[in-house]
Amino acid sequence: MPNRRWCEELTEHPLRIVLAKLGFDGHDRGIKVVARMLRDVGFEVIYLGLRQSTDTVLAAAEQEDADAVGLSIHNGGHMTLAPRMVNTLREAGVGIPVVVGGIVPAVDVPLLLEEGVAAVLGPGASAAEVGETIRSAVEAARADVD
Amino acid sequence: MTREPAELFKAACGGDRRATGRLLSLVERGGADGDLVAQIAWPKTGGAHVVGVTGAPGVGKSTLVDRMAAAAIAEGGRVAILAVDPSSPLTGGAILGDRVRMNSALGAPAGKSPFIRSMASRGQSGGLALAALGAVRVLDAVGHDPIIVETVGTGQVEVDVVNAADTVVVAVSPGWGDAVQANKAGLLELADVFAVNKSDRPGAADARRDLELMLDLGDHPDWRPPIVETTATAGEGVEALWKHVCSHRLHLLETHSLEARRGGRAAEEVRRHLHNRIDGLIARPSEQVRQLIREVTEGLRPPSEAAQTILRSQPPGDSP
């Protein structure tokens, strides 16, 4: 199947993203706002919400044929949780980007990127910015796979 | 990522959930790949019990579906759930939040947990019904049984999706309306089984009475839809509900009415496909079609004749 087709599809069909919070992290105001933002810039958001595990996110990503995973993290666990998610997807052979949103100290951002996180979004990011960041991450991941 | 449909189908039949997920995307997108998937799946369909669940927003459909799935898994079923939610007509985006309520079967052993797919209506009028029916076929063909389809019961398309099920469960909750509402035409007429959910709340008995009154006025020669009180969040009444759903299936088989039901829908589905294709001829017009439309605009020929010419010149097997 020619690679070009998939690139065209990328623009033709709404992107699908799984949004979740991993483990014990009860602040779900942000993820709800982001879900709404992404809806408003044309994404199909598969909302998993609170208390998910890397396995439930992986299962959702596979069954929903998601283009990306978005993690909202507010409990300081990003250095543990985000790389774990990246590895879980990698081990399953699911080549989609993980984007992290929430409260992440600036010093940790390059470390997360090094661990394979595609992008980190902080508070104050606009809907357009969030959408564009995820869109580029998906495009980059697809180019990688092809 | 770029596996061919036939290869994906083989993997999906072997339990590869990612392959199933990808097949469903192809069906959802339609076009040549979607047609190919439909073709591959077709010979292996028809085995699954398709259960539609519908009702107004907030009556607890997703939680009911989750609990029914758990009941079906306990009986050894390989459950699939298709949850349809509306897309925003403005942006095409959607928040698909049904999965949030579907956790009770997560503890099931690997491979037993339900396959859950969320689908957005994507704003196409006839397209959703086709995509959803196509998705049900794929889930059936790769070995899922039963398949539970959930939609909000607002709008003709959602009704069509649910009506394509073998057994339709309509969920209501206390305070949903009264006997007059119950006698209005619509969703309630579709029900094979009623669930009065949130029955721990006041008004459950009234809701049941209103439904009973409605049913009393109707004619139910061989199957009077049972009414089951449920409290889905606590799992109460859900086993009884699932039992009724299964006896409805048995009833369809015993009275040989399953085939009749499905036959009636086949014509409807073919009609939809035709409709979609003809729509495509105008939405993505060829040069010939453009020219004909220009001629109609200029008064050179009547629209009916242009339509006739377009239909006559359609090459077979051309998928828009």
Side-chain angles (χ1 to χ4, degrees):
Chain A
M1 209 168 281
N3 296 340
R4 204 178 136 63
R5 290 253 318 271
W6 294 105
C7 299
E8 281 168 4
E9 278 176 8
L10 194 64
T11 52
E12 257 180 61
H13 306 283
L15 289 183
R16 292 166 67 83
I17 183 169
V18 170
L19 283 191
K21 289 182 78 81
L22 294 175
F24 292 107
D25 182 0
H27 301 277
D28 64 351
R29 180 100 184 136
I31 192 174
K32 283 176 175 152
V33 172
V34 170
R36 177 60 197 268
M37 277 177 163
L38 287 172
R39 188 202 84 173
D40 290 345
V41 292
F43 279 76
E44 288 181 2
V45 178
I46 296 117
Y47 183 83
L48 301 188
L50 292 171
R51 291 185 289 277
Q52 300 298 311
S53 70
T54 49
D55 285 341
T56 60
V57 175
L58 170 66
E62 289 184 323
Q63 294 169 24
E64 302 284 358
D65 194 21
D67 300 293
V69 165
L71 297 180
S72 162
I73 307 176
H74 289 89
N75 64 356
H78 49 272
M79 289 311 297
T80 315
L81 296 170
R84 202 177 281 172
M85 189 71 249
V86 170
N87 288 331
T88 302
L89 290 168
R90 261 190 203 150
E91 278 161 24
V94 180
I96 61 174
V98 175
V99 176
V100 171
I103 304 300
V104 175
V107 288
D108 287 347
V109 173
L111 301 176
L112 284 178
L113 298 180
E114 214 167 283
E115 294 276 1
V117 170
V120 180
L121 290 156
S126 71
E129 237 174 288
V130 174
E132 216 27 68
T133 303
I134 294 167
R135 221 174 280 276
S136 331
V138 171
E139 270 163 36
R142 294 238 169 135
D144 246 20
V145 170
D146 291 336
Chain B
M1 172 161 278
T2 50
R3 283 190 287 175
E4 295 285 347
E7 195 188 328
L8 285 170
F9 188 76
K10 214 171 136 195
C13 289
D16 179 345
R17 295 185 161 209
R18 218 176 132 214
T20 308
R22 171 57 58 163
L23 285 171
L24 293 175
S25 297
L26 294 176
V27 165
E28 192 175 12
R29 286 168 197 176
D33 279 344
D35 287 349
L36 182 56
V37 173
Q39 222 167 43
I40 297 169
W42 177 254
K44 296 187 77 176
T45 59
H49 184 196
V50 183
V51 181
V53 179
T54 191
V59 298
K61 289 180 296 298
S62 298
T63 311
L64 268 178
V65 167
D66 178 49
R67 296 291 185 159
M68 283 197 279
I73 287 167
E75 288 170 3
R78 228 186 119 199
V79 181
I81 298 169
L82 183 68
V84 182
D85 270 331
S87 296
S88 156
L90 298 178
T91 67
I95 296 181
L96 309 168
D98 297 308
R99 264 191 118 91
V100 180
R101 321 265 176 231
M102 297 180 180
N103 291 321
S104 75
L106 281 182
K112 291 272 185 187
S113 64
F115 183 100
I116 308 172
R117 177 65 171 229
S118 318
M119 192 177 251
S121 60
R122 296 199 176 168
Q124 325 122 331
S125 53
L128 168 67
L130 283 181
L133 296 180
V136 168
R137 292 254 160 71
V138 168
L139 290 167
D140 182 355
V142 304
H144 288 289
D145 181 20
I147 299 164
I148 308 177
V149 184
E150 176 195 340
T151 76
V152 171
T154 51
Q156 188 55 44
V157 177
E158 283 87 349
V159 170
D160 288 349
V161 169
V162 150
N163 202 26
D166 301 324
T167 302
V168 178
V169 177
V170 172
V172 301
S173 56
W176 62 281
D178 62 11
V180 180
Q181 307 282 0
N183 284 310
K184 287 183 183 172
L187 211 55
L188 298 176
E189 290 176 289
L190 300 178
D192 298 306
V193 181
F194 282 105
V196 177
N197 195 35
K198 307 191 185 184
S199 64
D200 54 335
R201 298 199 180 175
D206 295 339
R208 167 186 276 280
R209 189 201 55 217
D210 290 337
L211 289 173
E212 296 280 11
L213 278 173
M214 177 195 82
L215 291 172
D216 286 344
L217 292 174
D219 191 22
H220 313 282
D222 52 355
W223 177 267
R224 180 181 161 112
I227 301 167
V228 190
E229 273 143 49
T230 57
T231 307
T233 47
E236 273 161 34
V238 178
E239 265 171 46
L241 175 63
W242 186 247
K243 246 183 217 134
H244 282 293
V245 168
C246 294
S247 12
H248 180 255
R249 157 87 163 185
L250 214 60
H251 161 78
L252 289 178
L253 290 173
E254 278 168 358
T255 55
H256 305 285
S257 41
L258 185 60
E259 289 318 305
R261 249 188 196 225
R262 289 184 173 177
R265 285 184 223 121
E268 175 61 16
E269 210 176 335
V270 172
R271 191 188 65 78
R272 278 185 182 286
H273 273 285
L274 272 174
H275 197 257
N276 243 28
R277 272 167 203 226
I278 291 172
D279 267 354
L281 291 176
I282 300 298
R284 294 175 291 280
S286 65
E287 192 37 53
Q288 184 217 14
V289 171
R290 276 180 219 277
Q291 178 58 31
L292 282 166
I293 291 172
R294 267 196 298 272
E295 287 174 25
V296 172
T297 315
E298 289 161 13
L300 298 175
R301 53 163 103 218
S304 55
E305 192 193 308
Q308 186 62 30
T309 311
I310 293 170
L311 277 183
R312 273 216 195 94
S313 61
Q314 276 319 293
D318 187 28
S319 173

